[in-house]
Amino acid sequence: MRSLNNSEITTLQNQGCFSPDWSGIKVSDNFSTGDIHHVRFQGDIKLGNLGGEIETIGGEKKTSGLFNCQIKNCEIGNDVLIDNVHQVQNYRISDNVVIENVDTISVNGPTSFGNGFEIEALNEGGGRNLMIFDRLSAQLAYMLVCYRHDPDLIAAINRMIKNYAGEKTSETGDIGPGTKIINSGSIYNVNIGEHATIRGVTLLEDGTINSNSQAPVFVGDGVIAKHFMILSGSKVDSGALIDKSFIGQAVQAGKQFSAENCVFFANT
């Protein structure tokens, strides 16, 4: 990575871009200013190569670049399209990501992205708390909730989960390659894996979306999710309300379904 030269800074300014400190921006050796217009840069920025072709939702082809957005403390990969976004803050954005017509995507201070969050499973009165994390299995959840007669075992497993959550804690989030986020509201403190599609969500907060190229995740219109895990192959759509819940592999939730303090495992 290298710093911008004076000619590139002047070109960006002529294209409606602004930064309080241009020295905070680092770019790839083959960087071109041609596809960056009306962008406000703040903090430490790393930019890959832009200007190549990228496919958006529905198969439409567009030119990658940064347009009409505010970017703060981000690392942006090659052929990323960010267009009409109020703010993207504290994220590593991988190659071939599309973010269009979104309010805010931000990490606000240290977060574990939902890992280690305690929910009240099985007993609504409490006493059977379960810490969710992105590798939770049905077998482990059963042990943690139902083996309360063995407090030493429960304490040992919970220590391991807390250590794992500590390893996941960061002030910077990740958006995996090939992910598409369009026409959505706010996303706070959410890690997003590869090839996820997030379309029309209202709010995502404090969670992890463990999508991958073999089993992508879809999160759709009107969804509100807080303190959550969504694993690979899942679909959450149609105004579903998810709070303090674990959505396992290939789970489908929709039609305004509401879940609180719940765990759903494979193929539910």
Side-chain angles (χ1 to χ4, degrees), residues 10-235:
T10 299
T11 300
L12 289 172
Q13 289 173 330
N14 291 337
Q15 291 171 181
C17 299
F18 170 81
S19 175
D21 182 9
W22 292 101
S23 67
I25 301 175
K26 306 298 181 185
V27 298
S28 62
D29 289 338
N30 297 322
F31 173 77
S32 171
T33 60
D35 295 284
I36 302 177
H37 295 264
H38 303 288
V39 180
R40 182 183 181 92
F41 296 103
Q42 290 181 270
D44 296 324
I45 306 291
K46 292 183 179 180
L47 298 177
N49 296 325
L50 304 172
E53 190 175 73
I54 189 169
E55 184 175 307
T56 65
I57 290 178
E60 182 182 2
K61 305 286 187 179
K62 291 188 177 182
T63 300
S64 64
L66 311 177
F67 310 99
N68 307 305
C69 56
Q70 181 177 189
I71 297 173
K72 182 177 181 181
N73 296 327
C74 286
E75 182 176 332
I76 296 174
N78 298 320
D79 287 326
V80 169
L81 174 61
I82 302 178
D83 187 7
N84 194 29
V85 178
H86 174 66
Q87 185 180 63
V88 183
Q89 176 176 267
N90 298 326
Y91 266 91
R92 286 180 294 265
I93 301 172
S94 300
D95 299 346
N96 303 115
V97 167
V98 175
I99 305 174
E100 287 188 293
N101 304 318
V102 177
D103 183 12
T104 299
I105 302 178
S106 176
V107 171
N108 303 325
T111 174
S112 63
F113 306 99
N115 289 284
F117 188 85
E118 281 195 338
I119 68 172
E120 296 175 355
L122 192 65
N123 183 355
E124 293 179 356
R128 303 237 178 206
N129 288 1
L130 169 67
M131 280 195 285
I132 59 174
F133 67 112
D134 61 17
R135 294 184 178 180
L136 182 66
S137 67
Q139 293 86 349
L140 183 59
Y142 177 83
M143 290 172 65
L144 287 168
V145 170
C146 296
Y147 278 44
R148 294 291 161 157
H149 57 277
D150 192 342
D152 292 339
L153 172 66
I154 302 302
I157 296 174
N158 280 337
R159 279 196 301 271
M160 288 189 285
I161 297 173
K162 287 179 181 178
N163 290 338
Y164 180 81
E167 294 172 1
K168 289 289 186 177
T169 298
S170 175
E171 295 185 13
T172 304
D174 288 293
I175 299 176
T179 283
K180 298 174 175 60
I181 306 171
I182 67 164
N183 301 334
S184 293
S186 297
I187 299 174
Y188 298 112
N189 302 338
V190 178
N191 257 351
I192 303 170
E194 303 176 2
H195 296 276
T197 298
I198 299 172
R199 186 195 68 198
V201 302
T202 299
L203 174 67
L204 302 178
E205 185 174 353
D206 294 324
T208 295
I209 297 174
N210 256 7
S211 182
N212 61 60
S213 58
Q214 288 76 35
V217 170
F218 178 86
V219 185
D221 297 336
V223 169
I224 297 176
K226 300 179 182 180
H227 314 297
F228 65 90
M229 296 282 129
I230 299 178
L231 268 58
S232 58
S234 295
K235 181 178 181 180

Side-chain angles (χ1 to χ4, degrees), residues 199 218-223 235-241 252-257:
R199 186 195 68 198
F218 178 86
V219 185
D221 297 336
V223 169
K235 181 178 181 180
V236 182
D237 195 14
S238 304
L241 305 176
Q252 297 191 35
K255 297 183 180 178
Q256 298 181 322
F257 180 78

